[in-house]
Amino acid sequence: LAKTTQPISMDSYEGQEVNITCSHNNIATNDYITWYQQFPSQGPRFIIQGYKTKVTNEVASLFIPADRKSSTLSLPRVSLSDTAVYYCLVGPYGGATNKLIFGTGTLLAVQP
Amino acid sequence: DAEITQSPRHKITETGRQVTLACHQTWNHNNMFWYRQDLGHGLRLIHYSYGVQDTNKGEVSDGYSVSRSNTEDLPLTLESAASSQTSVYFCASSDDRGSSYNEQFFGPGTRLTVL
């Protein structure tokens, strides 16, 4: 499974757009990119997943360049409640191979 | 509503004791996972199961065992608890039948302290 690298922490203010970039140079052809969010004292929660170009849902957008060696999670207009750890994961999806490797994640601190 | 639960939520035990952490899901998911989370290490996979009677070792399986006798439950057993196993344990499940996402559903966690 491809190793990912992401910043340890980021700071932001309420109302700003936040972009968290993840590097995955060894991504395989059948790998998808998945992001999870974890609040203190809770288990991680799925946010978004993509394979290439751009994916958007009600929570976030995921941008993946053509070479797929990196990806960017974009959170529009963050609020204090977006303070959490965000994990970038890379691996094949579905079937019997969907165990995921979590790194240390990025701690996003949103200030008023 | 379907859910995934863990019990106990907090546990204090002594070195050398056997401890079992319960995980129960009502999603009817085939796949179930156990992770531990420690400061500086993120989440690390302990064991996982793709169905009844199937179990597999993860990256930090030493000192832990699991068994899968039905779809709903994957108990995690610490055979002889050690202080290094003090951690927060998360159970998760996922569906491999037509799912479009690597979406694992996590339980609330169990905080285990080994004295």
Side-chain angles (χ1 to χ4, degrees), chain B residues 38-108:
Chain B
D38 307 287
L39 277 176
H41 289 281
L43 283 91
R44 293 183 289 176
L45 184 63
I46 306 172
H47 281 287
Y48 58 100
S49 168
Y50 291 141
V52 176
Q53 302 301 329
D54 176 75
T55 61
N56 306 279
K57 294 181 178 180
E59 59 180 310
V60 290
S61 61
D62 288 348
Y64 303 94
S65 64
V66 294
S67 62
R68 188 87 179 271
S69 59
N70 58 53
T71 300
E72 297 78 18
D73 299 289
L74 186 70
L76 177 71
T77 297
L78 287 69
E79 302 295 342
S80 177
S83 57
S84 60
Q85 294 177 308
T86 292
S87 185
V88 179
Y89 291 85
F90 288 101
C91 178
S93 70
S94 70
D95 190 6
D96 63 354
R97 291 164 293 189
S99 173
S100 299
Y101 303 104
N102 269 338
E103 182 169 7
Q104 293 188 14
F105 295 84
F106 282 79

Side-chain angles (χ1 to χ4, degrees), chain A residues 18-40:
Chain A
V18 171
N19 296 308
I20 306 174
T21 297
C22 178
S23 172
H24 29 79
N25 291 320
N26 296 321
I27 190 169
T29 302
N30 61 340
D31 283 344
Y32 279 66
I33 300 151
T34 311
W35 286 80
Y36 279 74
Q37 174 191 57
Q38 185 179 25
F39 297 114

Side-chain angles (χ1 to χ4, degrees), chain B residues 6-39:
Chain B
Q6 294 183 235
S7 62
R9 294 295 312 278
H10 299 88
K11 173 78 175 179
I12 299 175
T13 190
E14 296 178 344
T15 301
R17 288 189 180 270
Q18 184 181 76
V19 176
T20 296
L21 308 182
C23 176
H24 179 79
Q25 53 99 0
T26 58
W27 296 95
N28 199 31
H29 287 164
N30 285 333
N31 307 325
M32 295 185 72
F33 310 84
W34 273 105
Y35 297 87
R36 61 176 289 175
Q37 185 169 37
D38 307 287
L39 277 176

Side-chain angles (χ1 to χ4, degrees), chain A residues 1-107:
Chain A
L1 294 172
K3 177 180 171 61
T4 61
T5 302
Q6 53 184 122
I8 294 174
S9 63
M10 295 181 67
D11 293 321
S12 182
Y13 293 94
E14 282 191 295
Q16 289 188 331
E17 178 184 73
V18 171
N19 296 308
I20 306 174
T21 297
C22 178
S23 172
H24 29 79
N25 291 320
N26 296 321
I27 190 169
T29 302
N30 61 340
D31 283 344
Y32 279 66
I33 300 151
T34 311
W35 286 80
Y36 279 74
Q37 174 191 57
Q38 185 179 25
F39 297 114
S41 301
Q42 295 185 27
R45 181 176 72 108
F46 173 92
I47 302 177
I48 197 167
Q49 178 177 289
Y51 184 81
K52 61 180 179 180
T53 62
K54 177 183 175 181
V55 179
T56 297
N57 62 22
E58 65 278 5
V59 176
S61 295
L62 178 60
F63 298 92
I64 306 166
D67 66 6
R68 303 200 328 122
K69 293 183 182 300
S70 67
S71 59
T72 299
L73 175 72
S74 180
L75 304 172
R77 297 181 299 281
V78 295
S79 64
L80 295 175
S81 62
D82 291 316
T83 293
V85 177
Y86 292 83
Y87 296 94
C88 167
L89 300 91
V90 173
Y93 84 91
T97 58
N98 69 346
K99 63 181 178 74
L100 303 173
I101 304 297
F102 286 80
T104 54
T106 296
L107 174 58

